[in-house]
Amino acid sequence: AQSVAQPEDQVNVAEGNPLTVKCTYSVSGNPYLFWYVQYPNRGLQFLLKYITGDNLVKGSYGFEAEFNKSQTSFHLKKPSALVSDSALYFCAVRVPYSSASKIIFGSGTRLSIRP
Amino acid sequence: GAGVSQSPSNKVTEKGKDVELRCDPISGHTALYWYRQSLGQGLEFLIYFQGNSAPDKSGLPSDRFSAERTGGSVSTLTIQRTQQEDSAVYLCASSSRLAGGNTGELFFGEGSRLTVL
């Protein structure tokens, strides 16, 4: 079965420290991978994506993610966390199927940045 | 409009009533998705449309749930004989067709919060 896993329900980091939010996937073929963020009482916003090419992709708000094919992972990272980064983060994968395909999401990781 | 629009933003209904939730995607986006998010939880895939057809309805929880899309634009998610476990935020998203440089990231609406009493 195709799936996306975010093994941590919550990640706590001090402001100014680096952060990592983990994501692994199990999908046949070459998936497209995404990260989305949900701020309190707001809709989901796109952060970044991996399609092909460089394994390190950069996105909005200083976030980046590293695609690792051998480990089937796509961890989200930021060198220096801000309190305003506190939110719910979702990893997602587009399942290859025709030209518009199902997108499945992980269960989400709540990121809490303390001052 | 500029973004994905969903209505109503909030709906409170009594158990057993039918509800309709509407999604107006970004103009020109051919793919449309419905997800359900329970309080503070992950996103549960319900259905997606490519144009007016639904290649994948696998996520619909029961036959009380149905969805349609007309004119390749507006979609309606209908829940019949609502139950308390249907209470959640229903999110709609649209994306452009995967072609050329379009890689199909989703653009989400603000959601419709459904409360079944």
Side-chain angles (χ1 to χ4, degrees):
Chain A
Q2 294 161 324
S3 63
V4 177
Q6 292 181 244
E8 303 154 315
D9 290 337
Q10 175 129 2
V11 171
N12 300 309
V13 177
E15 186 174 30
N17 283 0
L19 69 87
T20 298
V21 183
K22 295 179 181 177
C23 173
T24 59
Y25 65 91
S26 174
V27 174
S28 57
N30 295 315
Y32 295 170
L33 296 157
F34 304 84
W35 277 100
Y36 290 83
V37 60
Q38 187 176 35
Y39 297 104
N41 300 315
R42 299 291 302 277
L44 275 79
Q45 299 176 32
F46 168 75
L47 264 184
L48 51 77
K49 64 188 177 190
Y50 172 82
I51 305 300
T52 187
D54 288 343
N55 290 341
L56 185 65
V57 294
K58 295 185 183 297
S60 307
Y61 312 120
F63 283 92
E64 56 190 29
E66 185 169 12
F67 171 64
N68 187 317
K69 187 172 184 178
S70 63
Q71 296 185 2
T72 61
S73 67
F74 189 56
H75 301 330
L76 181 70
K77 301 181 180 183
K78 187 172 182 180
S80 179
L82 300 173
V83 173
S84 58
D85 294 331
S86 299
L88 189 57
Y89 290 79
F90 291 96
C91 181
V93 59
R94 180 181 284 274
V95 178
Y97 176 80
S98 185
S99 59
S101 51
K102 180 176 173 178
I103 298 176
I104 55 176
F105 283 77
S107 56
T109 298
R110 190 166 299 280
L111 179 62
S112 178
I113 309 299
R114 61 184 183 275
Chain B
V4 177
S5 178
Q6 291 188 246
S7 62
S9 55
N10 271 288
K11 176 71 176 180
V12 180
T13 190
E14 294 179 347
K15 178 181 174 180
K17 302 284 189 181
D18 297 352
V19 297
E20 284 190 353
L21 307 177
R22 175 189 167 104
C23 174
D24 198 346
I26 292 173
S27 178
H29 278 190
T30 56
L32 185 148
Y33 299 75
W34 283 100
Y35 291 87
R36 180 168 70 174
Q37 185 178 27
S38 299
L39 185 63
Q41 300 301 308
L43 274 70
E44 177 187 6
F45 169 81
L46 297 179
I47 187 171
Y48 91 88
F49 291 89
Q50 176 60 31
N52 291 335
S53 65
D56 192 333
K57 304 179 183 179
S58 63
L60 293 177
S62 73
D63 59 8
R64 297 187 295 106
F65 288 72
S66 62
E68 66 175 12
R69 189 179 185 194
T70 55
S73 181
V74 172
S75 176
T76 302
L77 177 68
T78 301
I79 309 173
Q80 295 178 307
R81 305 181 302 281
T82 52
Q83 303 294 313
Q84 288 182 332
E85 61 263 28
D86 299 334
S87 297
V89 176
Y90 289 81
L91 294 169
C92 176
S94 68
S95 75
S96 55
R97 186 180 182 90
L98 285 177
N102 295 329
T103 50
E105 60 261 34
L106 298 180
F107 295 83
F108 281 85
E110 295 285 321
S112 292
R113 182 178 298 276
L114 175 65
T115 303
V116 182
L117 301 177

